[in-house]
Amino acid sequence: MSQVSTPDVRVLNSSDEVARAAADIFTDLANQALKAGHPFTVALSGGSTPKLLYRLLSSGEYKNRVPWGSIKFFFGDERWVPHTHPDSNYKLAKDELFDKVPVDPAQIFPIPTEHISPEDAADQYSKTLVREFNLMGEKGMPRFDLIFLGMGDDGHTASCFPHTGALHANETLVDANFVPKFGTYRITLTPPVLQAGREVVFMVAGDSKAPALQEVLKGAYNPEMYPSQLLRHGQGHVIWLVDTAAASQLKDGGTGQVRTEH
Ligand code: 6PG
């Protein structure tokens, strides 16, 4: 287990500012990767918060600043629904980003969810990561340049939910995680893959997240209850972009410096 990293917590005025900060990080890192001469690998988050990010990135303000052709788009997790379903994380990214910017389908790696079992979907996506990250066999670990994550009111991230099997999937890259509260599966990158991200950026907004955010950042280490705490053992740079509502219960002390960006 790696040592606890000190999270970089940035408090912003609104969810729009959270999205803007995320768009700036994405744009800067993508251009740095281009200058360094390697593809930029990003794992997109699910949920509703990324929608604001996608809309910014596809807007005139950012669209022409991003080297779209040098980016490979992956997903941190996916709901167990067809890619045409309104709950699909892929559909959200397609509708709000991919259909509006110059990316080739060959640059996009959706998690398979149709005509396949959850277990085979996880296995297939794992093989996609092994191939696209040029990993030698099963022992390699994909290190994403950037992983976007959200956090649920219960402290989950990606589809690592409290008290579910994915929290212990430390020998695989992708897990088919049955989530009792939904009565269905989610396909998710596993904790080791999330922890290996070079830059991990959480986007958290809204007062419903405040109690969990306080526990995740400042509470006793209990990832069974608060899976987002797993990123305390992130091997890269972990940034928390949070709005003032989500940060409203953050107390002084504990891990992580809290910066207010106004
Ligand atoms: C998903 C996500 C999930 C999400 C959080 C926050 O597929 O739903 O990956 O982890 O990021 O639930 O969701 P919101 O951004 O909608 O609050």
Side-chain angles (χ1 to χ4, degrees):
M1 180 79 74
S2 62
Q3 81 282 0
V4 176
S5 62
T6 304
D8 174 352
V9 183
R10 304 176 190 180
V11 181
L12 299 112
N13 280 324
S14 66
S15 55
D16 285 334
E17 287 192 16
V18 166
R20 178 171 296 280
D24 288 340
I25 290 168
F26 174 86
T27 304
D28 293 349
L29 290 175
N31 281 295
Q32 287 172 29
L34 179 67
K35 287 196 184 79
H38 65 72
F40 181 60
T41 55
V42 58
L44 299 177
S45 168
S48 58
T49 306
K51 191 177 215 176
L52 296 173
L53 167 63
Y54 298 158
R55 285 184 175 166
L56 258 184
L57 287 175
S58 61
S59 72
E61 186 179 357
Y62 282 86
K63 188 173 182 178
N64 300 321
R65 291 164 44 191
V66 176
W68 298 105
S70 64
I71 302 173
K72 291 185 175 181
F73 293 92
F74 300 83
F75 289 83
D77 71 324
E78 187 56 277
R79 287 83 180 279
W80 195 241
V81 294
H83 287 156
T84 52
H85 191 283
D87 289 348
S88 167
N89 291 335
Y90 168 76
K91 182 180 189 321
L92 176 68
K94 181 179 186 299
D95 293 348
E96 300 294 343
L97 184 63
F98 301 146
D99 286 353
K100 300 176 180 177
V101 296
V103 292
D104 186 287
Q107 295 172 244
I108 303 167
F109 302 90
I111 294 174
T113 60
E114 296 169 80
H115 315 304
I116 194 171
S117 70
E119 294 77 12
D120 286 347
D123 185 55
Q124 186 173 326
Y125 206 60
S126 177
K127 288 184 167 69
T128 297
L129 297 180
V130 169
R131 183 189 71 236
E132 292 302 321
F133 283 83
N134 302 312
L135 305 176
M136 302 307 288
E138 298 301 307
K139 291 297 171 210
M141 176 59 67
R143 293 208 70 187
F144 285 90
D145 293 306
L146 173 60
I147 301 176
F148 279 123
L149 291 174
M151 185 196 77
D153 297 356
D154 59 0
H156 80 262
T157 191
S159 283
C160 297
F161 285 85
H163 311 299
T164 61
L167 300 182
H168 308 286
N170 295 318
E171 302 303 321
T172 55
L173 303 180
V174 186
D175 188 59
N177 191 28
F178 185 78
V179 185
K181 74 188 255 187
F182 300 135
T184 186
Y185 283 89
R186 292 279 192 96
I187 310 299
T188 186
L189 298 183
T190 57
V193 178
L194 301 179
Q195 291 167 333
R198 299 186 193 285
E199 293 279 340
V200 178
V201 176
F202 279 90
M203 294 183 288
V204 185
D207 52 18
S208 68
K209 309 290 176 78
L213 189 64
Q214 162 61 18
E215 288 298 331
V216 166
L217 289 178
K218 311 281 188 183
Y221 189 62
N222 182 6
E224 273 295 315
M225 180 77 76
Y226 296 104
S228 296
Q229 289 184 341
L230 288 162
L231 274 300
R232 289 188 187 182
H233 297 285
Q235 293 142 39
H237 182 199
V238 181
I239 300 173
W240 288 81
L241 302 178
V242 303
D243 71 355
T244 47
S248 59
Q249 293 188 20
L250 287 187
K251 303 179 181 73
D252 292 338
T255 57
Q257 340 97 332
V258 180
R259 279 164 47 189
T260 301
E261 313 259 329
H262 287 312

